[in-house]
Amino acid sequence: CAAPERSPKQLVEIWNNLSAAERRSGHLDAARQHANEALTLAARELAPEELVWAGLWNNLGMIALAGNNLQAAKDYYEKSAAVALRISGRESPRYAAALSNLATVETKQGHHGRAQALWNTALRIDEERLGAGHPQVASDLANLAAESFYAKRYDEAIDLYRRAASIQERSLGEQSRQTAGTWRNLAIVYCGAKRYRDAQAAYARAIHAFEISAGTASLDLLDCLKRNAQVLRRLERFAEAEQTEVR
């Protein structure tokens, strides 16, 4: 039987999804090509008040960010935020996501105060609209924790990462890749604060979770093992450090 006809909106979403898949695979030229095809079709067929525009600008922002073109990424993210604000409202999770993406660019540009303000707003919206135990709230907390770590506010960063890990353990599972990444980042903060015993315990949890979620050959696991070996040496647990290094 013949394939069903697709609406212009559906075709735009298909091109945009293809673009996003190419971007995640690291094929940025193909990602840009598909994104531009989606953009051309949307400009010809869709009204400005379609939420799909927010997704188009957001994907283009991610492509620009992956290519380290920060100003272009910021411009695209601002367009995405404007569409989300106009259609979904300033208290919507879609608008919060756009603000979070903008914050990522701001911090890469060294504008840490602006980034923190944006992430705080995204966190407030997501807590109110999605609930305090939602995985997106954990992501917001982790973003704020990274900003606190950059400013060497270690106690604040530790508290934020621990809150994020607690949410992820309940909502995603103790062995999820996201939870593992948060424990690894928490361990890095503990090292910054010279709390090496706490760091080693956090690395152990991250290593166990990465083994299950990402596999024994993952680069995330390799990174944790190398960092954990350094901490073990600081704790004068030399035999364990050597075993970890050999592994």
Side-chain angles (χ1 to χ4, degrees):
C1 61
E5 283 193 24
R6 299 186 185 276
S7 68
K9 181 178 178 179
Q10 289 174 319
L11 290 173
V12 168
E13 290 173 337
I14 288 170
W15 281 118
N16 200 45
N17 289 338
L18 281 171
S19 173
E22 294 286 9
R23 170 180 53 77
R24 287 191 291 268
S25 299
H27 306 145
L28 296 187
D29 288 340
R32 290 188 193 94
Q33 179 182 342
H34 292 322
N36 286 328
E37 287 164 341
L39 200 61
T40 299
L41 181 59
R44 188 173 65 243
E45 300 288 347
L46 300 185
E49 298 306 313
E50 290 277 2
L51 192 57
V52 69
W53 280 102
L56 286 173
W57 297 127
N58 182 67
N59 183 46
L60 281 163
M62 288 187 171
I63 294 169
L65 189 62
N68 205 34
N69 189 340
L70 298 183
Q71 188 55 54
K74 185 175 181 178
D75 291 342
Y76 287 132
Y77 285 147
E78 285 177 343
K79 289 181 179 180
S80 179
V83 173
L85 175 62
R86 189 167 63 248
I87 297 174
S88 300
R90 67 175 56 255
E91 297 300 314
S92 70
R94 189 63 180 262
Y95 182 57
L99 295 181
S100 185
N101 287 336
L102 268 173
T104 299
V105 178
E106 293 286 7
T107 196
K108 285 181 176 293
Q109 291 180 322
H111 306 150
H112 298 286
R114 296 180 197 171
Q116 184 165 5
L118 290 167
W119 272 319
N120 273 320
T121 302
L123 173 62
R124 179 189 60 76
I125 294 169
D126 287 333
E127 282 184 323
E128 290 177 358
R129 300 301 297 272
L130 301 176
H134 195 278
Q136 183 55 49
V137 171
S139 295
D140 295 337
L141 290 167
N143 286 331
L144 283 166
E147 199 61 45
S148 297
F149 174 64
Y150 178 86
K152 298 184 179 180
R153 299 193 301 270
Y154 297 127
D155 289 344
E156 183 178 302
I158 288 166
D159 177 63
L160 290 165
Y161 272 134
R162 289 189 67 87
R163 287 171 60 192
S166 177
I167 293 169
Q168 289 168 333
E169 286 178 344
R170 291 195 305 271
S171 61
L172 303 174
E174 292 183 6
Q175 282 96 37
S176 74
R177 194 161 188 163
Q178 294 94 325
T179 306
T182 300
W183 278 111
R184 176 193 55 201
N185 292 340
L186 178 57
I188 292 170
V189 180
Y190 278 136
C191 285
K194 296 182 169 51
R195 292 172 56 176
Y196 298 115
R197 292 186 185 279
D198 291 327
Q200 198 283 315
Y203 276 131
R205 295 185 70 157
I207 287 167
H208 178 65
F210 276 133
E211 285 173 332
I212 294 172
S213 64
T216 57
S218 79
L219 294 178
D220 285 321
L221 178 59
L222 171 63
D223 176 68
C224 271
L225 289 168
K226 291 168 69 175
R227 291 176 181 271
N228 189 43
Q230 294 170 356
V231 173
L232 287 166
R233 288 194 176 280
R234 285 189 172 273
L235 294 172
E236 299 184 356
R237 293 161 59 177
F238 300 116
E240 292 174 74
E242 289 177 7
Q243 291 172 354
T244 303
E245 288 166 349
V246 167
R247 183 181 174 190

